Amino acid sequence: MTATRPSARSGVDRPAGPSPLRRLLPGAPAAAGPRGSTLLRHLAGAVLAGTLVVLLTNQLAPYQNLQVARVCAFLCVTAGYTVLVGLNGQLSLGHGALMATGAYTVALVQRAFDERGVQGRWILPLSLLAAVAATALAGLVIGLAAARLRGPYLAGVTLAVATLVPAISTIFTGVFNGEQGLRFPAETPPAFLGAYFQPERWLAWIALLAALLTVLLLANLVRSRFGRSLRAVRDDEVAARLAGIHVARTQVLAFVVSAGCAGLGGGVYAVLTATVAPGKFPLELSLFLLMAIVIGGLGSLAGAVWGAVLLVALQDLPSLLTETFSLPSGLAQRLEGNLALAVFGLILIVVMLAAPGGLHGAVRTLAARLRARRRAH
Amino acid sequence: MRPTTRRILAAATGLALLAAVPACADDAKQAAENVPGVTDTEIVIGTHQPLTGPAAPGYSKISAATKAYFEHVNSKGGVNGRKIVYKVMDDGYNPANTENVVRKLVLDDKVFALLGGLGTPTHTNVLEFVKTQKVPDLFVSSGSRNWNQPDKYPTTFGWQPDYTVEGKILATWVKQQFPGAKVCHFGQNDDFGRDSLAGVEKVLGPVAAKQTYTTTNQQVGPAIGALKAAGCQVVISASIPGFTALAMGQAAGQGFRAQWVVSNVGADYTTLSNQLGDKKVILEGMVADNYLPMVGDTANPWIQEFTKIHQKYNSANPIDGNAIYGYSMAYTFVQALLAAGKDPTREKLVEAVQKGGFRGPGLTPFRYSDDVHAGYSGVRLNKVQNGAQAYFGPTYTTDDGDAAVTEFTEAPATPPADAIPTT
C-alpha cells in the first residue's frame, strides 16, 4: 500500500508540467484535439442546450418549470459526483451532506444581508459563490482523509458525514433552527421582465445557468490533462504514479471539484424554495444520488443528466401513482413513504442486468447498433 | 475553426436570438383567468398532512374525518351547488416535503384554497410561498402564533387556540392547584415548544427546568432524566402524541412521578392509549385541555351528529379527538365558504373569515377580525380518570398578549340539521 499513500518523495510524484487545473483555461494546447477547440465545441453545445431549455420554459406551466429547475439543481450535483465516482473511482456516500453545506451557506449569507436590510441582485450570485467556496473547503477536508482511505473505508467515513447533518442542525439550534430550518427572502424575477413574468420560470433560468456552467467546466475538465490523470489514477494507481501523476493530489482535487459542484447544486436547490431544513438532506438523498448516477451511466456527463431527471421524476411518482389509482388508504399511506426507494432499487437492478453502462450506455449501444445496421444495408 | 463547429455556433446564436424574444404575452392573460379551483360544479381545495412519519399516529386521522365531512356535505348537494374536492397530500411531517407538496397543490392542481395544513415546523416554511400566490390558507392545524400575522401573511389564518393561550391557561391552573411546586416544561424543539413555554412563563415566571425533543430522534430518556434530576413536581408538556407517549413512558420507566399537564395537541386519550398499549395505565391523572366537545361525552349533540357521519363515511378509523377535530374544522370551513357568497373568489373567502362570527362545536368564540387571524380564544381543562378523559372546571379565555385569563360562561351552540351550516 505504500505506493498509494501520499508521500513526501517529491522526486517521484511531482507532476511534470503546469498545474492540471490550468487546462481549464481556453486555448490550452493539450485540449486541442483532432476536432477543433474542445472549449468552443462545448461552449456551442452549452448555448444550444441552454437555448432549447429556455424556449421550453416559455411553454411550460409553473409547476413544470419548477421541475426543470429541480433537474438543473440536481444536475450540478450529479455531474460533479459522477466525475468523482466514475472517473476517479472514489466512492462518496456523503454528497447529500455536501449539498446541505451549500444550501445552509446560501441561507446564512442571505439572512445575514436581510437582517442588515441590504438588498440587491448581487446577493444571490454572491451567496452561491460562498456556497461553492464553503463546500469546496469541506470537500478539501474530506478529500484529505479520502486520499488515505480506500473503498469501503472511504464509503464509511463519507456515510458518517451524511448522517451528521440532522444532528448538527439540531445541536446548534440557535444557528440552524433545528428541524424547522431557515427561511430567507425568496428570489423574484427582475422588474424588466414584466409584472406577469412567472417566478418559477425565473428560478428555472437561474438553475439552468448554474447547471450549464457546471457541465461546461466539467466537460472541459474531463477532457483536459487533469481528466486523463483522474482516469489513470482510477485504473491503476501504481501505473499513474510511474507516469508522473501525483496520485493523492489528483484525488484530493477531484474531491474538491466534486464538492464544489454539490455545494452549488445544494445552494440552487435551497434558492428554489427560499428555505433550508435538514429534512431536505436525509441519508436517503446521498444514496439516491449514487443510485441516480449509476443508473444514468457512471462517469459520463450525459449519464448525470439522466440521473438528475430520474431524481426529480421519482419525487413526484408516489403521489402520482396513489392519485391515478384510487388505492385503499392504508396501502396508499405505506406506498407514499417507501415507493420512491423501492422503484429506485428496482430500476437499479433492471438497469444493471440489462445495461451495465447505465441508461446513457444503453442509448449509445442502441445508436451504434442502428448505425451499423444502416451501413450493412 | 472547423466548418461543423462554425455551423453549430451559428445555429446556437440563431436560437439564442429567438429565445430572447420572450413568449410571455400569455402571462397577462393567465393572471386574469377565472378563480383557480372553482367551477360551476366543484371547489377543489388541498392540504398537507402527516400520513406517514413521526406525527402520523393520531394526526393521520384528522384528514380522513375532514374528508368524510365533505362527503356528507356533498351528498346533501354541496355548498351552493358545488361539491367540495379535498386533496390530501402526505408530507411525513417533514418541512422539506411540505414545500414540495404545497407547490404541487397550488401550481399544478390549482387549488382554490389550502385547508388545515398540519404542523408548526412544516407549515412555517410555506408561508412566503402562500403569500406570493395569494392563496387563502385557512385554519392551519397548529397553534403557532405565526398564523396570526395579518400584516405579513394576509391570507393565512389559525384555527385552534395559540400555544401561548394554552400555555397561559394551563399555567394558571397549575399556579392555583400546585402553589410553590417545582414546575418544569418539556417541549418540541421549534415554535410549538417555544410558544408554549412563552405562555407558561408569562404566568409562572421562569420554570424550574426545561427540556426539548426533536421529532427525528426517539431518544427522550436523557431529557426526562434531567427533569427528574431537577426534582420537577409538575411537567407542562408541549408535545405531539407520539412524543407524549414516549415521554410519559420514559418517566414511568425511570420511576419519575410528576403531574403531567399536556397541550391538547398531544393529549388525545384514544391516540395515547393506542400507542402505549397495556401500559396505558400511566395516563391516569394526566391533565390536558381542549376546546371541542369530548368524544366520550355521548350526550353532546355535536358528538352525536359527528358519530353519525363517522359511521357512514369513516368507519374504518376510530372516532377519537382527532376525528372530532377534523369534523369541527371542516364545519368551520363550510361556514366560511357560505359566507364568501354564491360566486366565491379568493379575496371574498379571506374577507369572510376576517368578518368572523362563526359559532360551531367549539366552547369559546373565535378571535378573527381584520387585524387578528388567530382562531379559538380559550380552552377548558380535562383529566383522565378510570380510562376516560372528561372536562372539569370552568372554560377560560385569554389572548397571546398580556390579557388576563378570564372565565367564559356562555353556553356552546347547538348543531343545525345534519350538522351542515346554512349561513
Side-chain angles (χ1 to χ4, degrees), chain B residues 47-67:
Chain B
T47 190
H48 62 89
Q49 298 286 326
L51 302 180
T52 54
Y59 292 167
S60 60
K61 307 291 180 289
I62 292 177
S63 51
T66 308
K67 214 166 185 165

Side-chain angles (χ1 to χ4, degrees), chain A residues 40 44 47-48 51 54-55 58 62-63 66 70 170 173 177 179-180 183 196-198 200-201 273 275 279-280 315 323 333 336, chain B residues 1 8-9 15-16 24 27 31 51-52 90 94-96 99-100 103-104 107 121 124-125 133 153 189-191 194 214-216:
Chain A
L40 259 183
V47 169
L48 197 72
T51 315
V54 165
L55 280 175
N58 284 344
Y63 187 69
L66 204 59
R70 278 194 207 132
T170 46
T173 308
N177 198 23
E179 276 154 23
Q180 200 165 327
R183 267 184 293 165
Y196 294 110
F197 194 83
Q198 227 186 64
E200 290 75 24
R201 191 182 300 158
T273 52
T275 54
K280 259 183 176 163
Q315 267 184 359
E323 240 171 64
Q333 276 183 31
E336 291 270 2
Chain B
M1 206 185 290
I8 294 174
L9 270 178
L15 267 174
C24 42
D27 284 346
L51 302 180
T52 54
D90 181 21
N94 176 343
E99 284 164 8
N100 275 348
R103 275 170 179 76
K104 183 158 192 323
L107 299 175
T124 305
N125 284 348
Q133 299 285 330
Y153 306 112
N189 189 11
D190 53 31
D191 286 350
R194 283 193 283 268
T214 50
T215 52
T216 47

Side-chain angles (χ1 to χ4, degrees), chain B residues 92-150:
Chain B
Y93 207 64
N94 176 343
N97 291 349
T98 314
E99 284 164 8
N100 275 348
V101 299
V102 167
R103 275 170 179 76
K104 183 158 192 323
L105 283 171
V106 173
L107 299 175
D108 200 26
D109 298 335
K110 302 212 165 48
V111 294
F112 174 56
L114 293 170
L115 172 65
L118 195 144
T120 307
T122 48
H123 201 77
T124 305
N125 284 348
V126 294
L127 283 177
E128 290 287 338
F129 172 73
V130 161
K131 171 186 159 181
T132 54
Q133 299 285 330
K134 300 192 175 68
V135 190
D137 178 23
L138 303 190
F139 312 150
V140 182
S141 292
S142 143
S144 167
R145 282 175 297 172
N146 284 345
W147 330 133
N148 182 17
Q149 302 183 70

Side-chain angles (χ1 to χ4, degrees), chain A residues 47-69:
Chain A
V47 169
L48 197 72
T51 315
L52 281 176
V53 178
V54 165
L55 280 175
L56 186 72
T57 59
N58 284 344
Q59 306 304 322
L60 289 180
Y63 187 69
Q64 288 152 346
N65 269 331
L66 204 59
Q67 284 176 312
V68 170

Side-chain angles (χ1 to χ4, degrees), chain A residues 176-261:
Chain A
F176 301 111
N177 198 23
E179 276 154 23
Q180 200 165 327
L182 297 172
R183 267 184 293 165
F184 55 92
E187 179 66 22
T188 48
F192 67 84
L193 287 168
Y196 294 110
F197 194 83
Q198 227 186 64
E200 290 75 24
R201 191 182 300 158
W202 176 245
L203 292 176
W205 288 4
I206 293 173
L208 177 69
L209 193 67
L212 282 180
L213 202 67
T214 309
V215 173
L216 180 69
L217 292 179
L218 286 178
N220 282 292
L221 189 71
V222 298
R223 276 173 199 279
S224 70
R225 178 202 191 95
F226 178 61
R228 287 191 293 279
S229 308
L230 286 180
R231 279 179 286 250
V233 168
R234 172 195 63 188
D235 292 339
D236 191 330
E237 285 184 17
V238 178
R241 186 179 291 267
L242 285 174
I245 295 169
H246 193 309
V247 171
R249 186 182 296 171
T250 310
Q251 284 175 325
V252 173
L253 261 179
F255 224 107
V256 169
V257 168
S258 167
C261 296

